[in-house]
Amino acid sequence: MSEEHFYLELCEDPVQFEHASSVNNVFFDEANKQVFAVRSGGATGVVVKGPEDKSSVAFRMDDKGEVKCIKFSIGNKILAVQRTLKSVVCTKNASVLGFCWTSWNEIVFITDQSIEFYQVFPDKRSLKQLKSQSINVNWYQYCPETSVLLLSTTVQGNVLQPLLFKSGTMSKMSKFEIELPVVPKPAKLSLSERDVSMATIYGQLFVMYLKHHSRTASSAGAEVVLYHLPKEGAGKKTHVLKLNTTGKFALNIVDNLVVVHHQSSQTSLIFDIKLKEPDCAVNTHQPVLPARSIHPYRIPLAGPAVVPSQPPVPCQLYSSSWSVFQPDIIISASEGYLWYLQVKLSPTVNLLQDKGKLMDFLLRRRDCKMVILSVCSQILAGGERGSLPVVAVVFDKLNQVYKEYLEAEQTYSAAMEAGPSRGSAAHKRPIRTQAVVDQSDMYTHVLSPFTEGK
């Protein structure tokens, strides 16, 4: 199958660690994006590997029993280890569900009965309680980018209470309710932790709920329902992503795209919440592109017994042993790899026939300039030469982005010349993204071949 078939791939240089085994337990810390390989409860070594080699750490600790959770504070200043359900902080015989570092010396413990927020003094080996809140908790999620902790409360678990941590304070945000497909009678826990995740998309925080197909419903399949979590006001249902199938799913966010992995078909779908469907309600989205598998990945063999000519072994994609973390991380504990998921833009050019929609999609992506210019070449001179209205739509969209950038630049320059005025917010220089295509780009990459061909 050609390279142009795949629009998703695993990064070429994954973080490698000792794979999970009977003597080696593997943990992942979502805040620091670190993998912990803990051998024999830490007695024969703990190796910590992060996204950059400089954050890798190795040490030993006394084996005081099985490790249930292990995390460094921000900046690797302090290590916290949980070994039992009743350890670390316990009140009223509560079970510790977990803990999160919110800064280099601030930690929050989540029990099934309360939230406890502490400041840590490593020199004194002591804790100071900053705030405590009694609340019955089923499970929790933490978003390190926004320092928001999401708690599942009530018997059914579908009333979610967000908490914001900032500069030593813990503040309640407005709680909100997730709509369940079926309300059970008698009431029981119906919202699972594995079906909920938090992510930042286009600079806004969303709670993503994987709503499974109900056998009694006439729906066409599962959906991902997005609830926008504003700083003020309650979470609100804003987008529905139609998966058009059923089964086991996992979610990633890559370049502001929601990527939905489907295990049984071994394919992935991508959604762009800023692309509006003309024939749907405003907040309902179909996949941008046809379902495709992640690009095949081969694991190089290593060790003394390896023959130099031995080919790499194909990696089993969409394995049941894969763990998916936000925003873009896939971990195979059994093989000892942590990958970052990436989007390849060039294959989308031939998969999305509507050139106007294609430009809307590309203009919002990070590394889009060369792909956009290739589309311009294609519609002007390539084998798929576009009609004049198609050319007009593409260039209108490019010009609009360029115009908005120039206007923002002029506003910034005028504000700088005028100097700071009382009560006005500090002006930030507009960022020139790859979506800004100017005359020089267009001449060099698209129009110059016409002059050369004369």
Side-chain angles (χ1 to χ4, degrees):
M1 214 170 275
S2 74
E3 291 289 313
E4 290 299 294
H5 178 82
F6 306 99
Y7 52 74
L8 290 169
E9 63 182 356
L10 302 173
C11 64
E12 289 182 1
D13 50 345
V15 175
Q16 294 186 46
F17 54 91
E18 185 178 347
H19 66 82
S21 65
S22 57
V23 295
N24 185 60
N25 288 336
V26 174
F27 301 88
F28 181 65
D29 171 17
E30 292 187 67
N32 289 318
K33 309 290 187 261
Q34 290 173 323
V35 178
F36 286 73
V38 181
R39 288 182 62 85
S40 308
T44 55
V46 178
V47 178
V48 188
K49 290 199 170 184
E52 301 166 0
D53 285 334
K54 66 183 179 190
S55 64
S56 295
V57 181
F59 57 90
R60 292 187 182 189
M61 57 188 188
D62 294 338
D63 183 0
K64 294 180 180 176
E66 181 191 354
V67 173
K68 292 194 175 296
C69 189
I70 181 167
K71 297 177 187 178
F72 269 121
S73 67
I74 311 301
N76 293 0
K77 302 287 184 188
I78 310 166
L79 180 71
V81 183
Q82 181 185 357
R83 293 187 186 272
T84 74
L85 278 176
K86 307 294 180 189
S87 65
V88 196
V89 169
C90 309
T91 54
K92 303 172 193 166
N93 204 26
S95 295
V96 180
L97 301 178
F99 60 90
C100 305
W101 288 100
T102 60
S103 77
W104 80 267
N105 69 337
E106 289 167 357
I107 190 168
V108 57
F109 294 99
I110 303 98
T111 81
D112 59 354
Q113 299 173 14
S114 66
I115 304 301
E116 318 226 348
F117 187 36
Y118 289 88
Q119 188 173 5
V120 183
F121 298 96
D123 298 340
K124 298 177 182 176
R125 294 182 172 235
S126 64
L127 299 176
K128 174 190 173 187
Q129 188 175 82
L130 299 174
K131 197 163 184 180
S132 175
Q133 175 83 47
S134 291
I135 183 170
N136 290 333
V137 182
N138 301 305
W139 49 261
Y140 72 95
Q141 298 268 357
Y142 182 65
C143 178
E145 287 77 23
T146 54
S147 298
V148 171
L149 179 69
L150 192 68
L151 308 174
S152 161
T153 68
T154 70
V155 176
Q156 291 173 181
N158 65 321
V159 175
L160 301 182
Q161 173 65 69
L163 299 169
L164 176 65
F165 294 85
K166 191 175 182 182
S167 309
T169 64
M170 177 177 89
S171 52
K172 268 188 172 183
M173 299 166 69
S174 300
K175 63 183 177 183
F176 65 101
E177 190 172 326
I178 298 276
E179 296 172 21
L180 296 172
V182 177
V183 178
K185 290 182 181 178
K188 62 176 182 178
L189 186 61
S190 304
L191 186 65
S192 167
E193 180 182 1
R194 67 173 177 269
D195 291 334
V196 176
S197 54
M198 281 192 291
T200 302
I201 309 171
Y202 290 115
Q204 295 186 313
L205 180 60
F206 288 90
V207 172
M208 303 187 292
Y209 165 45
L210 186 53
K211 188 176 179 181
H212 289 283
H213 170 69
S214 170
R215 287 188 180 88
T216 56
S218 57
S219 72
E223 300 171 341
V224 177
V225 184
L226 268 57
Y227 290 79
H228 177 224
L229 220 58
K231 288 179 181 173
E232 302 289 335
K236 186 180 175 185
K237 179 178 169 181
T238 52
H239 300 274
V240 177
L241 316 182
K242 295 285 189 181
L243 305 185
N244 306 313
T245 186
T246 59
K248 282 187 177 179
F249 302 93
L251 306 177
N252 275 133
I253 305 294
V254 185
D255 203 1
N256 290 311
L257 296 167
V258 182
V259 181
V260 184
H261 308 291
H262 186 228
Q263 193 182 19
S264 59
S265 67
Q266 299 194 355
T267 58
S268 301
L269 296 165
I270 62 171
F271 295 85
D272 186 346
I273 63 170
K274 284 206 173 179
L275 277 184
K276 302 286 192 294
E277 295 288 338
D279 53 349
C280 302
V282 173
N283 64 347
T284 303
H285 304 265
Q286 292 292 338
V288 178
L289 301 167
R292 290 285 189 272
S293 171
I294 295 169
H295 191 286
Y297 187 89
R298 293 182 174 274
I299 295 174
L301 294 170
V306 175
V307 179
S309 60
Q310 225 168 334
V313 178
C315 170
Q316 186 189 344
L317 301 177
Y318 302 90
S319 164
S320 57
S321 67
W322 273 17
S323 298
V324 174
F325 296 94
Q326 298 310 324
D328 56 355
I329 290 170
I330 295 173
I331 294 178
S332 172
S334 60
E335 292 167 316
Y337 281 88
L338 179 155
W339 293 281
Y340 291 92
L341 187 66
Q342 299 169 338
V343 172
K344 296 166 66 181
L345 293 180
S346 54
T348 67
V349 174
N350 296 320
L351 290 171
L352 202 51
Q353 299 307 316
D354 181 334
K355 297 305 177 196
K357 191 174 177 182
L358 173 64
M359 291 305 290
D360 288 337
F361 174 79
L362 291 175
L363 285 166
R364 296 190 187 101
R365 307 286 74 84
R366 210 166 22 231
D367 302 317
C368 62
K369 183 170 285 190
M370 295 314 296
V371 182
I372 286 171
L373 292 168
S374 76
V375 173
C376 294
S377 296
Q378 190 185 74
I379 60 173
L380 288 176
E384 295 183 33
R385 193 173 299 173
S387 64
L388 207 52
V390 171
V391 173
V393 166
V394 168
F395 277 79
D396 280 349
K397 290 181 184 294
L398 285 176
N399 285 335
Q400 183 61 31
V401 173
Y402 188 45
K403 175 174 175 272
E404 288 169 5
Y405 170 74
L406 288 181
E407 287 173 350
E409 188 70 49
Q410 286 166 358
T411 304
Y412 172 79
S413 299
M416 289 299 100
E417 286 172 19
S421 60
R422 186 178 297 172
S424 68
H427 287 272
K428 286 186 179 178
R429 182 163 202 152
I431 298 167
R432 184 175 181 134
T433 66
Q434 286 208 13
V436 178
V437 175
D438 60 20
Q439 290 165 307
S440 148
D441 296 322
M442 190 58 68
Y443 179 78
T444 305
H445 299 282
V446 180
L447 301 177
S448 60
F450 289 102
T451 60
E452 290 162 8
K454 283 186 177 179

